[in-house]
């Protein structure tokens, strides 16, 4: 499979998904979120895949959300003006933040997922690993749940996991 922010490498029935933005410490983007969801969903249904290892390229696993961009870096549609009826309908179908959708794609994956934390894992970079079946941290790993310091509500199902 071809992705812009991930490397998909299937060898000996083990799929290695590598976050591929080392120049930005593999900072999480909306594009990366969509690619991770697609990769976990595809791997879950792929009979050639027996297990999945997710890791980061370079010296970080994932430094959290890439906050460098202009505008709304979280990919929210600020043009929406939901009504009470719209919110009620959406709540019945489920409302989920993008990081939560990534975490749930890992949780719902039919294959065992191993998070190989090779460096900094901060914010979404830490919370997405909570749904993995196993987390391995190198001696260089630094894990941070820094939401309070940034004035953010914990996301990606982190409070549940």
């Amino acid at each position: 499979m071809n992705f812009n922010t991930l490397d998909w490498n299937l060898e000996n029935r083990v799929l290695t998904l590598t976050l591929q933005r080392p120049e930005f410490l593999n900072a999480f983007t909306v594009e990366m979120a969509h690619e991770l969801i697609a990769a976990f969903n595809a791997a879950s249904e792929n009979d050639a895949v027996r297990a999945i290892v997710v890791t980061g390229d370079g010296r970080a696993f994932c430094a959290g959300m890439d906050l460098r961009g202009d505008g709304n870096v979280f990919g929210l549609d600020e043009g929406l003006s939901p009504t009470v009826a719209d919110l009620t309908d959406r709540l019945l179908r489920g409302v989920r933040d993008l990081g939560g959708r990534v975490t749930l794609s890992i949780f719902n994956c039919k294959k065992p997922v191993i998070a190989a934390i090779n460096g900094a894992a901060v914010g979404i970079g830490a919370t997405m690993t909570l749904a993995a079946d196993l987390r391995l941290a190198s001696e260089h790993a630094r894990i941070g749940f820094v939401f309070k310091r940034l004035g953010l509500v914990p996301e990606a199902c982190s409070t549940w996991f």
Side-chain angles (χ1 to χ4, degrees):
M1 298 185 79
N2 291 327
F3 298 107
N4 293 322
T5 66
L6 303 175
D7 179 55
W8 169 293
N9 182 26
L10 181 58
E11 189 173 321
N12 296 324
R13 303 192 74 170
V14 175
L15 171 62
T16 303
L17 291 175
T18 305
L19 307 180
Q20 289 271 287
R21 299 186 72 229
E23 65 278 14
F24 302 111
L25 301 177
N26 301 314
F28 192 84
T29 64
V30 171
E31 179 181 27
M32 182 183 283
H34 290 297
E35 290 184 354
L36 281 166
I37 293 166
F40 280 105
N41 289 341
S44 187
E45 300 303 324
N46 187 335
D47 290 337
V49 175
R50 294 289 300 266
I52 303 165
V53 175
V54 61
T55 192
D57 185 17
R59 61 189 182 98
F61 177 78
C62 176
M65 190 70 186
D66 190 342
L67 301 175
R68 297 173 309 110
D70 293 332
N72 187 327
V73 297
F74 294 99
L76 302 173
D77 184 350
E78 295 175 347
L80 293 176
S81 297
T83 65
V84 173
D86 180 47
L87 288 174
T88 301
D89 181 54
R90 292 178 75 200
L91 286 173
L92 292 175
R93 287 184 287 129
V95 176
R96 173 63 51 216
D97 62 289
L98 196 54
R101 289 178 45 219
V102 170
T103 302
L104 289 175
S105 71
I106 296 169
F107 180 73
N108 291 323
C109 187
K110 297 174 186 173
K111 311 298 169 65
V113 177
I114 301 166
I117 305 168
N118 56 306
V122 179
I124 181 63
T127 59
M128 77 168 103
T129 69
L130 298 176
D133 297 288
L134 183 66
R135 286 162 300 286
L136 300 173
S138 83
E139 63 186 20
H140 304 290
R142 299 293 179 263
I143 299 170
F145 296 90
V146 298
F147 304 104
K148 181 179 164 187
R149 287 188 221 157
L150 299 173
L152 298 173
V153 174
E155 42 67 81
C157 310
S158 58
T159 56
W160 188 80
F161 281 103

